[in-house]
């Protein structure tokens, strides 16, 4: 399935919509003395949510540095929601996927726990990423090894609400994030040209 703009549906919903909304809200958030947090969704896998994670990290280093606004990447988890409707319509693959959702996916209520926590709870200043899953992390190991050993823990499993975790990032994440930011601005400009 595709958005009206031609993007893959999940990418358009999980990334471009959040990117545009975040960019449009930033001036207001940054001008308010009471603003504490802005939320951008993210995830540790190579998809739309990884792009959102990179957006949050880029904001932390650039526009929000020294401000009263914090960008957090949140992983809602593998959520049993309507976003999967296109896959569910496929006969064999759809029935397998729907079965897996019932077995392993979190509910929509559980899926919003990380976003709600990011928006309403006082979090440690070093918090960059919230996940509903317990994810092991061994500080003595490189990010690449931690990701290979423990990355699957951040895909599905029992929900623990909202846990702070260190995202598994590639060595060149800063360059990737900066380039993705520029490309994303170009992509959403037709929808918000006078505002951005």
């Amino acid at each position: 399935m595709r958005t009206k703009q031609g993007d893959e549906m999940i990418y358009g919903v999980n990334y471009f919509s959040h990117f545009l909304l975040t960019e449009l809200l930033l001036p207001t958030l940054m001008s308010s003395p009471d603003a504490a947090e802005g939320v951008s969704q993210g995830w540790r896998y190579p998809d739309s949510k990884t792009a959102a994670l990179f957006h949050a990290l880029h904001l932390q280093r650039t526009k929000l540095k020294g401000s009263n606004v914090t960008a957090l990447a949140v992983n809602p988890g593998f959520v049993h929601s309507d976003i999967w409707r296109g896959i569910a319509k496929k006969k064999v693959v759809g029935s397998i996927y729907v079965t897996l959702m019932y077995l392993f996916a979190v509910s929509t209520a559980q899926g919003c726990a990380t976003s709600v926590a990011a928006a309403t709870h006082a979090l440690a200043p070093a918090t960059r990423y919230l996940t509903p899953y317990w994810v092991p992390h061994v500080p003595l190991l490189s990010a690449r090894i931690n990701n290979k050993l423990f990355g699957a823990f951040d895909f599905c499993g029992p929900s623990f609400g909202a846990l702070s975790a260190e995202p598994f990032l590639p060595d060149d994440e800063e360059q990737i994030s900066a380039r993705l930011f520029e490309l994303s601005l170009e992509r959403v400009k037709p929808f918000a040209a006078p505002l951005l």
Side-chain angles (χ1 to χ4, degrees), residues 68-80:
N68 63 328
V69 180
T70 302
L72 296 173
V74 298
N75 173 7
F78 175 41
V79 181
H80 185 227

Side-chain angles (χ1 to χ4, degrees), residues 14 18-19 22 26 29 36-43 49-61 64 67-76 113-131 162-167:
N14 284 349
H18 289 91
F19 177 89
T22 300
L26 274 179
L29 287 171
E37 298 172 354
V39 178
S40 180
Q41 288 194 336
W43 208 17
K49 293 182 181 179
T50 301
L53 169 61
F54 289 167
H55 181 221
L57 296 173
H58 180 75
L59 288 176
Q60 290 169 1
R61 280 191 298 272
L64 302 179
S67 79
N68 63 328
V69 180
T70 302
L72 296 173
V74 298
N75 173 7
T114 52
S115 293
V116 170
T120 62
H121 292 77
L123 300 168
T127 302
R128 301 190 310 162
Y129 178 75
L130 295 175
T131 180
L163 303 175
S164 178
E166 188 59 31

Side-chain angles (χ1 to χ4, degrees), residues 13-172:
V13 170
N14 284 349
Y15 178 62
F16 283 126
S17 65
H18 289 91
F19 177 89
L20 180 57
L21 181 62
T22 300
E23 291 300 314
L24 293 174
L25 289 175
L26 274 179
T28 302
L29 287 171
M30 293 176 71
S31 67
S32 171
D34 297 329
E37 298 172 354
V39 178
S40 180
Q41 288 194 336
W43 208 17
R44 295 183 184 173
Y45 294 90
D47 62 12
S48 62
K49 293 182 181 179
T50 301
L53 169 61
F54 289 167
H55 181 221
L57 296 173
H58 180 75
L59 288 176
Q60 290 169 1
R61 280 191 298 272
T62 58
K63 291 182 176 185
L64 302 179
K65 190 173 185 173
S67 79
N68 63 328
V69 180
T70 302
L72 296 173
V74 298
N75 173 7
F78 175 41
V79 181
H80 185 227
S81 71
D82 196 38
I83 198 168
W84 306 107
R85 66 186 171 272
I87 294 172
K89 290 179 183 176
K90 298 178 180 177
K91 292 185 187 219
V92 176
V93 173
S95 62
I96 292 169
Y97 205 80
V98 168
T99 302
L100 292 174
M101 275 197 297
Y102 280 107
L103 293 174
F104 299 111
V106 298
S107 69
T108 52
Q110 291 171 314
C112 71
T114 52
S115 293
V116 170
T120 62
H121 292 77
L123 300 168
T127 302
R128 301 190 310 162
Y129 178 75
L130 295 175
T131 180
Y133 308 118
W134 175 76
V135 181
H137 183 83
V138 180
L140 298 174
L141 299 176
S142 71
R144 181 173 289 128
I145 293 172
N146 267 299
N147 193 20
K148 288 198 182 300
L149 292 174
F150 307 122
F153 283 85
D154 200 24
F155 176 66
C156 67
S159 175
F160 288 91
L163 303 175
S164 178
E166 188 59 31
F168 298 119
L169 302 170
D171 295 335
D172 58 348

